Structures are given as structure tokens and as C-alpha cells.
């Protein structure tokens, strides 16, 4: 595989819509996604069920995925955790890796998790310490950090690039397996993306993580092209762009997995994913959430005549 | 200006929908587009009114744009012509440049204009000869060629890249002021775009023209980023992505001018276009075609907080 797509629909998509999908349907959708060749799936958030009732069954989802001991998950089970308590629950439930968002914008950090950025970094260090102590006896191989509002903030506007890189270095020093950058607000542009990821790689090398882009202003895949130029090889995306952006009716929040797979494979970059199986997972999603808007162009337009996957073209 | 956006909505958009806009409304919309700072607008096609009744008034539109002699058009008036007859009419009406599509796919060429590619190149040479003879006494400064199906064909699938470059060289030799490449089918990917435009530049240098991308598979702006890397500085786009793609409900045919302006300006590339005036032109379009789907994310999401145009950031 040349590029890893980390499917975040069951987490970012489902927590962005009002309806709650049942545990059984979540597991069915996640298994269908995995059957398409996805090697990483973020299956939920370990957060307060008062804040996000859609995610209240996250532990059950993880345990259900492990329940078929004859067919253990052939993919990495990721979960988002905002704090140590969430990380403890996620690791106990059996996730492969936990992912922790830390906001580069002070205002966003305070409003989102009621902590300053420094406090969030300190909490991240505690999560890493907990993992070092208890990770060995669990399935959990590491703790990932994702810097949210890395490309701009709806409260603060421009976010200083030096500050983003500074935070990334601190998170790597705290023990992050990887530090990714998130365009939480759909503010990013390709020039900025190339610049920041190039700096990230220069500063933290092999701990430089993936890109999480939103498509709020239609720039998601354009930013992927720029990130590829900067050497990024892991991208978050959401099947059907689930969880449409409230600022842009008709625009998906996350970039659409189906369109991203086409982009990468057409460019000759192997993702290990097959479109027919991915569209079968889309059907599972459609049946699970009748009437929910499903985004993406490739599902409607189809693959081009004569299309070859990267592994066939090589 | 760092990048020229060539607005093709009044041609490619209006000829792709069934309704016909009146001459008066076309002129009002085109004037509103020009007021946003657009320096190139393709205002229509000089084709048989039996084939495209929406374009029957193309000469009237051009003459109306010239009618206010105290305020002559501050933009280049482009028109698409499929043959010598159309070019004669366009030049007589007062266009600044004519644009001629030549298909790289033999099958597409035969089905679209009932000519082989070689016959289309020969007709293009006749158009250039006509322009050399009569252009001097008209407004028309040159003849542009656009190679359609340059990135793939819905009949033939893959289109040979050597063949595309070979056609480009022949068109340049025939007298093309510029030779652009069109992704008529929405097949293009960024790796291919970068490769082909780099070769185009190497082969015909200053006659290498712009990029015309469709967003059929959601890859339009991603392809723009790749074309920028290859040195392309002229891009076709359509306000509101007018003329939605029949293969992909909800997907625009052309890339959306509003989203393209944001992409380029955010990257620090001056387009000379202002979003507020561009959105005012979108309102003119909305009133002219009530109920017609208007695409694009930036019009809904707005510009980011703290956004600066390239000329302000420089």
C-alpha cells in the first residue's frame, strides 16, 4: 500500500448527525467498510454520553468487533478520546490506537474542551504515560495526536504556523506515535497545506502524521494533492462525506472516501481498497440511515471506462 | 494578475441546460460577471441553432456587449466555434478571440462533429488562415484551440498521451495562439494533468494554453492544483458550476468559479476577481434561471474569518 485511508465516518460522520445508529448497524457498517480493504477505521469517540449520545455505545462497538474470535478484525480499530478517562475506557475496550485532538487555537480549545492548549498538551502526556504503563497488556499499540484548527479557526481566524509546529513538537516529545494536522474549519488551502506538512516532516520526521481535511469550501481533494507533494501518506475521510457541513448545505464535512479512493488510485497510488466493495458498504449505510444525504461524485458517475487500479497499472 | 480565470458559464453552462436564457438576461449576467473582475468570458457558441437553440442569439449577445460605445467591454469576449462558418460569424460579430474544440479521441470527434481528428485539424488551419486574412480589420486577435477528451473518452476509454501532444503540435503549427487541454469527460487525475501539461509546455512553449476541467468525479480543483504545478496559469470555470453533469446528480459539470477564485486567492495567486461582486453576478443568474441548481461551496460557507486576497497578503 502506498497510501493509508483512515475511515472516520463511524466517528466523525455519526457524531455530526442527530440520529443515533444502533450498535448492531454500526458494527455491520464497519465490517462492510473493512471488507472494502480499509485498514484503519475510527469507530467512535469515548466521550461523555451526555455530550454525544450517538457515541454512548463506543465500548460495545469495539467489543462486538472483537467478539468473532475466529475472524478477528483485519483492520486497526481507532477511537477518538478527549481526555485520560476516555483513553482508559478505549484501551480497556480493545482499540488498536487512540486518537487525541488538541486544538491549536486557544479559543477553540477552551470552547471545545474547556482547557487551554497547554492544559490539553499536559493531558495528552498523561494519556501517553497511561498507555506506556497499561498499553502493553492491551491491544493498544500507540497514541496519536491530531492538531485541530491547524489551518485556521472560526473564532480566531488565522492560526500562527509557528505555533502549530511548536505544538506538534511538544506532542511528539510527550510520546505521540504520530501527530497529524486537521483542517477542522475547512479553511485550508493547498499552498498552506504543503508548507505546514513540509515543516511538520522537517521537525518531527517519522512521527509526522496524517491529514484530516474538511470539504466545507470544496477544497478537500485539492488539499490532498498538496499534502501528497509534502509526503503525507495517511488521509482521513468519511464514507459518503457523512455528516454534512452545517455551514454549507450540500457540502460534506469530511472529504468523501469514495472520491478520495478514485483520486489516489487514478494517480497510481495503491490504497488496497476496491470501489465495488466500498459501494456495497455505502448501501449498508444508506439502509441504516434512510433519507440521510450521501455525498460524493464517483458513486454517481462511476469509474472511468478503462480505469485501472494502481496495482493493475504498475 | 497571476492567474486568468476564463468564465465559460454563458457558453458551456447555458448550452448544457434545456432552458434558453433571453439575450437581455445573458447580457446582464455577462456584464455582472465582468464587474467582478473577470477578464475573459466565453459568451456563447456560433453553432447551428438547430443543434443548440440556446446559442442561436450568440451574435446578438456579442453585438449588444459592444453597443454601449461609451463603456466598451473591459474583458475579452470569447466564443466557441466548431468550424470555419462559425468562426466567420464570430469574427464578424466582434469577438476578441475564437476558441475551437478538437477532439483527441477519433470516436468522440466523429460522433460530436462528424469529422475525423485530422479533418478537424485541417478545418482549424482554415480558420487560422481566415483570421490571418480578415482578423486584422476586426476585434479578433487570435484563434485558440482546445483539445477535448485530452484525458480520456467515454467511448474509447484511455486516450494516448503521445497522440494528445502530437495534435497540440499540429494545432500550434497551424497557427493556434494557444492550445489548451480539456477534460471533457471528468476522467483526469492530478498525476496525469501534471504530466500532460508539463509535456505541452516542453513541446509548444508559449503557445501552451489553459486547462478546462470538469468536476464529474469531484476532482476539478485537485486537477487545478496539479496544473498549477505544471505552470498552467489560465483556467476555465463556470459560475455556480452551471450545467450540472448528467452522470452525477448534484455534481457540476464545469468547476465552480466561486470555489476556484477562493482556491487561487487563498494560495496567494491574484485573480483580479472580488467575491462579493462575483456573488452579485450569481444573484443575477439565480433570478434569470429560477429553480436552476447552483453549485459551489464557498457561496454557502463564505470566506474564512481573516481571509485576505492575494493582493492584500502580498
Amino acid at each position: 500500500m502506498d497510501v493509508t485511508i483512515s475511515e472516520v465516518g463511524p466517528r466523525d460522520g455519526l457524531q455530526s448527525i442527530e440520529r443515533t445508529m444502533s450498535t448492531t448497524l454500526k458494527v455491520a457498517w464497519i465490517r462492510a467498510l473493512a471488507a472494502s480493504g480499509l485498514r484503519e477505521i475510527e469507530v467512535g469517540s469515548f466521550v461523555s454520553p451526555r455530550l454525544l449520545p450517538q457515541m454512548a455505545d463506543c465500548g460495545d462497538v469495539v467489543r462486538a468487533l472483537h467478539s468473532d474470535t475466529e475472524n478477528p478484525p483485519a483492520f486497526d480499530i481507532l477511537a477518538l478520546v478527549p481526555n485520560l478517562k476516555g483513553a482508559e475506557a478505549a484501551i480497556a475496550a480493545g482499540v488498536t490506537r487512540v486518537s487525541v485532538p488538541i486544538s491549536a487555537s486557544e479559543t477553540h480549545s477552551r470552547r471545545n474542551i474547556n482547557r487551554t492548549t497547554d492544559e490539553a498538551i499536559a493531558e495528552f502526556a498523561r494519556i501517553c504515560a497511561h498507555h506506556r504503563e497499561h498499553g502493553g497488556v492491551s491491544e493498544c499499540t500507540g497514541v496519536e495526536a491530531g492538531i485541530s484548527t491547524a489551518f485556521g479557526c472560526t473564532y480566531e481566524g488565522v492560526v500562527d504556523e509557528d505555533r502549530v509546529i511548536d505544538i506538534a513538537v511538544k506532542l511528539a516529545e510527550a510520546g505521540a506515535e504520530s501527530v497529524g494536522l486537521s483542517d477542522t474549519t475547512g479553511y485550508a488551502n493547498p499552498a498552506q497545506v504543503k508548507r505546514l506538512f513540509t515543516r511538520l516532516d522537517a521537525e518531527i520526521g517519522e512521527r509526522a502524521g496524517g491529514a484530516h481535511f474538511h470539504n466545507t469550501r470544496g477544497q478537500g481533494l485539492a488539499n490532498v494533492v498538496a499534502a501528497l507533494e509534502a509526503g503525507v501518506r495517511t488521509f482521513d475521510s468519511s464514507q459518503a462525506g457523512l455528516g454534512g457541513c452545517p455551514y454549507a448545505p450540500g457540502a460534506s464535512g469530511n472529504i468523501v472516501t469514495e472520491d478520495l479512493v478514485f483520486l489516489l488510485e487514478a494517480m497510481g497510488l495503491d490504497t488496497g481498497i476496491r470501489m465495488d466493495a466500498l459501494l456495497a458498504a455505502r448501501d449498508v449505510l444508506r439502509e441504516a440511515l434512510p433519507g440521510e444525504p450521501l455525498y460524493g461524485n464517483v458513486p454517481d458517475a462511476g469509474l472511468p471506462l478503462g480505469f485501472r487500479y494502481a496495482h493493475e497499472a504498475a
Side-chain angles (χ1 to χ4, degrees), chain A residues 29-164:
Chain A
W29 180 34
I30 292 164
R31 286 195 200 278
L33 286 165
S36 76
L38 281 156
R39 292 285 182 279
E40 270 194 36
I41 304 177
E42 196 167 85
V43 303
S45 298
F46 284 85
V47 289
S48 159
R50 275 186 303 107
L51 290 176
L52 286 174
Q54 307 96 313
M55 295 287 121
D57 65 345
C58 195
D60 296 334
V61 170
V62 175
R63 284 183 287 271
L65 290 168
H66 284 297
S67 64
D68 182 357
T69 48
E70 289 192 8
N71 294 296
F75 60 98
D76 289 353
I77 300 175
L78 273 63
L80 188 135
V81 305
N83 49 35
L84 179 59
K85 189 180 166 196
E88 289 170 348
I91 292 171
V95 305
T96 318
R97 288 195 298 285
V98 293
S99 177
V100 189
I102 290 95
S103 187
S105 154
E106 202 68 79
T107 315
H108 182 267
S109 186
R110 286 171 190 272
R111 296 212 189 186
N112 202 38
I113 57 166
N114 200 26
R115 281 203 179 97
T116 66
T117 303
D118 279 345
E119 286 166 357
I121 294 170
E123 182 77 357
F124 182 79
R126 285 189 284 276
I127 293 170
C128 291
H130 173 79
H131 173 258
R132 278 192 296 274
E133 243 178 275
H134 302 279
V137 296
S138 77
E139 309 269 344
C140 187
T141 62
V143 181
E144 298 185 351
I147 303 184
S148 45
T149 64
F151 300 92
C153 170
T154 44
Y155 302 118
E156 297 190 1
V158 175
V159 169
D160 182 60
E161 296 186 4
D162 290 339
R163 178 175 163 85
V164 173

Side-chain angles (χ1 to χ4, degrees), chain A residues 161-162 164-170 172-173 195-208:
Chain A
E161 296 186 4
D162 290 339
V164 173
I165 297 300
D166 189 48
I167 293 168
V169 170
K170 285 180 182 161
E173 288 170 355
R195 204 162 55 226
L196 260 175
F197 272 105
T198 300
R199 286 188 66 183
L200 186 71
D201 183 60
E203 289 292 338
I204 63 172
E206 62 181 13
R207 287 177 192 244

